[in-house]
Amino acid sequence: MSARDTVLATIRSSLGVTGSETPRRTAIEARLSLHPRGVVPKRGDRPAPSRMKLFQTMVEGAHGTTVELASPERVPAAVADYLRSKNLPMAVRRGSDPRLDAIPWQNERALGVSSGHSDGSDLVSVSHALGAVAETGTLVLVSGPDNPTTLNFLPDHHLVVVDAKDIAGDYETVWDAIRARFGAGKMPRTVNWITGPSRSADIEQTHLLGAHGPRSLHVLIVGEP
Amino acid sequence: MTLRVTSPQFKENARRALADRQLQKALGNVEQNFIEKRRQVAAKLPEFDLLRDAARDLKDHTLAHLDLYLEAYERRVTAAGGQVHWAVTAEEACGVVLDICQRLGARLVTKGKSMISEEIGLNDFLLSHDIAAVETDLGEYIIQLRHEPPSHIIAPAVHLNKEQIEADFRRVHTGFPAERNLEEPTSLLAEARSVLREKFLAADVGITGANFLVAETGTSIIVTNEGNGDLTQTLPKAHIVLASVDKMVPTLEDVSLFLRLLARSATGQEMSVYTTFSTGPRRAGDPDGPGEYHVVILDNGRSAMLGGEFREMLRCIRCGACMNHCPVYHAVGGHAYGWVYPGPMGAVLTPSLVGIDKAGHLPNASMFCGRCEEVCPVRIPLPKLMRHWREREFERHLSPAAMRWGLGLWAAFARRPRLYRFATRIAMKMLSLLSLGFGRFRWLPFARGWTKYRNFPAPEGVTFQAAWKRREKKA
Ligand code: SF4
């Protein structure tokens, strides 16, 4: 018997089942295809403007920072402001997400913008989030040809652009958006939920930022909620 | 190759731990930090207890359909281009990992935190085949330098003070100037970050655990604060996930439920920093990500637990809240438990996985205060399960003869209420007289285990039964 068969057979004998009972099969197929929502906290269930405020409060509670921008045209100046405030060189690495491509980067002449994945030498990256969750101040990013995962983890500073209208109240809303985009039962290779910058408490339970991932996380919220 | 089990020496381990000043200082951090943070963050979420009920029910549903969910999960992983490997034992799991590493010619492996890896003793096994496995979670990295097992399931180095960590870094990181200042925790972190950055970029294979596996999509999930797991799994040629059968969760909605409970119960955070959902290897056109994606599903005794009185233990999501709130853990720390899983969850799980003959003392490492059950996010009745083990241990005649004799005698009395009342009344009188009015005993025959560490109070007044009777009459 293969290891697979042994494990499944032991489970079945422990449960006293054969594996071919119709009611059991129907039960799991229904759950997998209907994916019913469970208890969803009320916290995020509020009108869009207040949802955006909650998102900002929660990001800041997780030691991230946020800025509101009226339109995508404002992004390059906001990025340059951030770099100046931290005394960083005027260079960022970004993915080629169409929404990032559409930003008029050339407006900020001093800012050097390159695109592609990171090899570990970039200090600052800019990503575009698929959405965000107000409940806990969590950004949702998905991998793909235009969105390198390395940009989320290797640079010291991670700047994330998110459309204000994509800030949901709860995780369940974002799962529906992902199903709508990738299809039922399908996922992009990586979905990253990011809540604040990297940290560790492994030395005497002292909280320190910047463990292995970015030391700071800055969220640029674009447009009206 | 499993970790050496020192659980049979629990009593000696505990005695040593109680006398270890460094350890006692470090354990103070557990008590001070985790409890209050969890309390605050739970109080902020009015639905917290409802979520716990739902999580308990969902786990029970999943366990009752585990065979079918595992099959559905496997189909999805395969459809996404990944491979599922099954392992009945620790040895088989190690063998699967070794085969993948050898096929890829791997010399250096980076690792995210995985309790399964500790359970199967993977690092030593790989090393014996000339493959270096480097832990990248800061706590795991530190204990790896010290050749120690973790002392806590989410804070593996919680038993150490920063001076000890500094000494280890000076001993091992020889490429740095000797006169550098490492007094502050930030400088220790910065040094570990720079050392491990090189490992991330150089590794051939990345191995992580999984907090959950999602049947709906064939997804594995890791939850970290450092981002080490992500660098581990994104940069190398292959990503290997180690998971046990009980990590299964039906859908993305269902896993959201557990994620709402996990960080809050574990570290008192609203949400951990990085929650990463991985499905298959790098896709066509992806600029980064691992070329291969493997999941090793380990049983190691769990499927047998499904059929018995310890099934509820398989609901555990490894949050660590039970040990954070356990007075025995606070006193002796994690190493005393003698294997990879400490605290109340370890006291129940370890005998199931390594055998009651080796871990028989652990279910006794409890004051039955019930705090673990009060905080467990999936409402595992840990005290009840520990009691089951004690009963089993008794039945299997593993307890010392005196205990059997004592319990037998007690049972004989208990079946004869009149005799019991009479005997206890006499015994109390005797003890009261013998204490010569001091109210306590410094030494008693047959009770040295008690009087060695504390005085035994001499009974004052009447027996419990008599007092109870009087109360009932009054009411
Ligand atoms: S037994 Fe409960 S409290 Fe303890 S680690 Fe498991 S889930 Fe957490």
Side-chain angles (χ1 to χ4, degrees):
Chain A
M1 230 175 18
S2 70
R4 179 183 188 279
D5 294 343
T6 308
V7 174
L8 291 173
T10 320
I11 292 175
R12 287 184 173 130
S13 95
S14 280
L15 294 174
V17 298
T18 64
S20 51
E21 297 88 348
T22 316
R24 292 179 78 240
R25 293 208 163 260
T26 323
I28 76 131
E29 273 151 29
R31 186 157 199 106
L32 293 180
S33 58
L34 301 175
H35 44 81
R37 288 188 180 192
V39 181
V40 179
K42 296 249 185 324
R43 186 191 279 176
D45 182 13
R46 48 175 87 193
S50 137
R51 206 157 64 217
M52 184 168 109
K53 286 282 167 258
L54 173 64
F55 173 69
Q56 287 176 285
T57 310
M58 297 309 289
V59 170
E60 283 150 21
H63 305 282
T65 49
T66 65
V67 59
E68 293 174 45
L69 304 173
S71 69
E73 287 72 45
R74 304 283 175 93
V75 170
V79 169
D81 282 349
Y82 177 85
L83 297 181
R84 272 190 290 268
S85 76
K86 302 268 175 185
N87 275 326
L88 290 163
M90 281 290 156
V92 298
R93 184 98 172 152
R94 67 172 178 88
S96 44
D97 187 289
R99 289 165 297 186
L100 291 180
D101 278 346
I103 288 172
W105 296 102
Q106 66 287 351
N107 290 356
E108 199 62 40
R109 286 179 201 286
L111 185 65
V113 181
S114 62
S115 62
H117 73 281
S118 179
D119 62 2
S121 58
D122 310 288
L123 272 181
V124 186
S125 60
V126 180
S127 311
H128 206 296
L130 174 119
V133 181
E135 186 181 333
T136 46
T138 301
L139 292 159
V140 181
L141 290 91
V142 296
S143 67
D146 304 331
N147 290 295
T149 306
T150 38
L151 293 185
N152 303 344
F153 295 100
L154 282 171
D156 277 13
H157 300 261
H158 191 203
L159 278 55
V160 183
V161 184
V162 62
D163 288 338
K165 63 172 174 32
D166 292 336
I167 300 175
D170 45 60
Y171 312 117
E172 284 79 352
T173 307
V174 178
W175 291 134
D176 284 343
I178 286 183
R179 286 191 189 102
R181 184 158 150 197
F182 295 90
K186 302 242 167 61
M187 287 275 269
R189 180 182 57 80
T190 311
V191 176
N192 290 118
W193 285 8
I194 299 179
T195 312
S198 157
R199 76 200 56 183
S200 174
D202 275 339
I203 303 171
E204 295 190 345
Q205 299 299 294
T206 322
H207 268 276
L208 305 171
L209 295 184
H212 292 295
R215 300 167 203 267
S216 66
L217 176 79
H218 187 55
V219 186
L220 303 97
I221 306 171
V222 173
E224 295 294 316
Chain B
M1 282 223 329
T2 34
L3 195 77
R4 201 170 71 89
V5 183
T6 68
S7 309
Q9 291 93 50
F10 177 76
K11 286 186 179 176
E12 289 90 80
N13 292 349
R15 203 168 296 133
R16 214 175 311 122
L18 285 167
D20 182 337
R21 282 254 208 77
Q22 289 268 28
L23 175 66
Q24 291 300 322
K25 189 171 144 227
L27 285 172
N29 295 329
V30 176
E31 213 175 336
Q32 276 165 28
N33 279 285
F34 288 116
I35 296 181
E36 184 52 21
K37 282 191 192 144
R38 178 201 169 273
R39 196 190 60 72
Q40 286 178 7
V41 80
K44 274 194 222 154
L45 194 70
E47 295 89 351
F48 193 70
D49 281 332
L50 278 179
L51 288 166
R52 293 173 64 198
D53 293 340
R56 171 199 56 208
D57 297 347
L58 181 57
K59 273 283 178 184
D60 286 345
H61 162 83
T62 313
L63 291 170
H65 299 82
L66 190 58
D67 52 328
L68 302 178
Y69 280 126
L70 282 166
E71 287 177 339
Y73 166 80
E74 183 184 36
R75 281 195 294 276
R76 284 295 184 193
V77 175
T78 314
Q83 264 191 67
V84 176
H85 311 261
W86 302 73
V88 179
T89 61
E91 289 73 20
E92 282 182 23
C94 285
V96 171
V97 174
L98 180 66
D99 284 349
I100 299 170
C101 290
Q102 285 182 333
R103 180 172 51 76
L104 293 169
R107 299 253 70 92
L108 177 66
V109 170
T110 43
K111 296 192 55 220
K113 197 173 136 25
S114 158
M115 292 309 295
I116 299 297
S117 164
E118 300 287 348
E119 184 179 323
I120 65 177
L122 183 62
N123 291 356
D124 288 344
F125 176 79
L126 289 178
L127 194 62
S128 71
H129 291 84
D130 292 322
I131 297 171
V134 179
E135 294 291 344
T136 64
D137 169 88
L138 181 60
E140 287 281 344
Y141 176 68
I142 293 167
I143 59 165
Q144 188 180 31
L145 297 182
R146 302 172 62 86
H147 306 286
E148 283 178 357
S151 66
H152 188 289
I153 60 172
I154 65 155
V158 76
H159 59 288
L160 297 172
N161 297 304
K162 69 175 193 295
E163 292 73 23
Q164 295 168 289
I165 300 169
E166 177 180 346
D168 290 321
F169 279 19
R170 288 194 187 280
R171 174 173 56 80
V172 179
H173 299 162
T174 45
F176 291 82
E179 64 281 7
R180 69 195 186 281
N181 189 337
L182 284 178
E183 235 166 74
E184 288 307 313
T186 44
S187 44
L188 292 168
L189 177 67
E191 185 164 306
R193 180 181 166 114
S194 73
V195 170
L196 288 169
R197 235 344 133 84
E198 286 170 26
K199 307 284 185 199
F200 285 128
L201 294 165
D204 306 298
V205 170
I207 301 177
T208 68
N211 291 86
F212 306 100
L213 303 174
V214 184
E216 178 195 357
T217 51
T219 299
S220 61
I221 298 174
I222 57 168
V223 178
T224 79
N225 277 324
E226 299 183 3
N228 65 305
D230 291 279
L231 292 171
T232 297
Q233 68 172 58
T234 307
L235 299 173
K237 288 182 258 194
H239 175 200
I240 304 176
V241 180
L242 303 174
S244 51
V245 288
D246 49 320
K247 300 291 174 187
M248 188 54 54
V249 172
T251 68
L252 295 169
E253 276 72 6
D254 294 335
V255 87
S256 307
L257 167 66
F258 292 118
L259 290 168
R260 285 187 174 106
L261 290 166
L262 179 59
R264 290 186 173 100
S265 301
T267 51
Q269 287 169 283
E270 292 277 352
M271 181 55 61
S272 301
V273 179
Y274 301 113
T275 304
T276 300
F277 303 76
S278 307
T279 315
R282 182 197 286 223
R283 311 267 164 94
D286 277 358
D288 49 24
E292 295 183 16
Y293 174 82
H294 301 269
V295 186
V296 183
I297 297 188
L298 174 74
D299 184 338
N300 211 20
R302 289 168 176 80
S303 61
M305 279 172 73
L306 263 182
E309 56 199 319
F310 299 103
R311 184 202 284 201
E312 287 163 302
M313 193 59 224
L314 295 173
R315 295 207 293 256
C316 176
I317 58 170
R318 306 285 189 271
C319 71
C322 54
M323 58 200 76
N324 292 343
H325 290 74
C326 176
V328 177
Y329 181 93
H330 292 160
V332 301
H335 285 160
Y337 292 81
W339 201 50
V340 289
Y341 301 107
M345 59 81 70
V348 177
L349 191 61
T350 304
S352 301
L353 300 186
V354 307
I356 186 68
D357 52 328
K358 288 202 188 105
H361 287 310
L362 300 189
N364 294 319
S366 165
M367 299 173 34
F368 290 93
C369 65
R371 281 159 81 185
C372 49
E373 184 175 358
E374 267 165 45
V375 296
C376 175
V378 284
R379 300 198 186 280
I380 299 174
L382 292 154
K384 180 186 92 180
L385 299 183
M386 281 186 259
R387 242 182 336 256
H388 282 336
W389 273 129
R390 285 196 188 186
E391 284 158 18
R392 282 238 196 144
E393 192 195 356
F394 178 68
E395 282 161 18
R396 291 161 57 104
H397 302 284
L398 282 174
S399 5
M403 182 174 150
R404 271 204 313 279
W405 180 82
L407 279 177
L409 190 68
W410 180 82
F413 274 107
R415 273 193 295 270
R416 299 168 182 79
R418 213 180 283 241
L419 183 61
Y420 184 88
R421 272 199 300 277
F422 175 73
T424 47
R425 226 174 31 233
I426 296 291
M428 277 188 60
K429 277 257 164 59
M430 295 272 289
L431 281 172
S432 188
L433 286 174
L434 277 172
S435 84
L436 306 171
F438 288 106
R440 41 191 57 251
F441 291 95
R442 299 245 304 277
W443 181 87
L444 270 179
F446 312 120
R448 236 170 50 87
W450 179 286
T451 54
K452 199 158 162 212
Y453 298 105
R454 34 193 150 15
N455 296 338
F456 187 89
E460 292 168 30
V462 291
T463 64
F464 171 76
Q465 288 190 335
W468 181 252
K469 243 202 191 129
R470 214 178 285 165
R471 239 193 68 160
E472 280 204 318
K473 264 188 205 142
K474 267 198 206 148

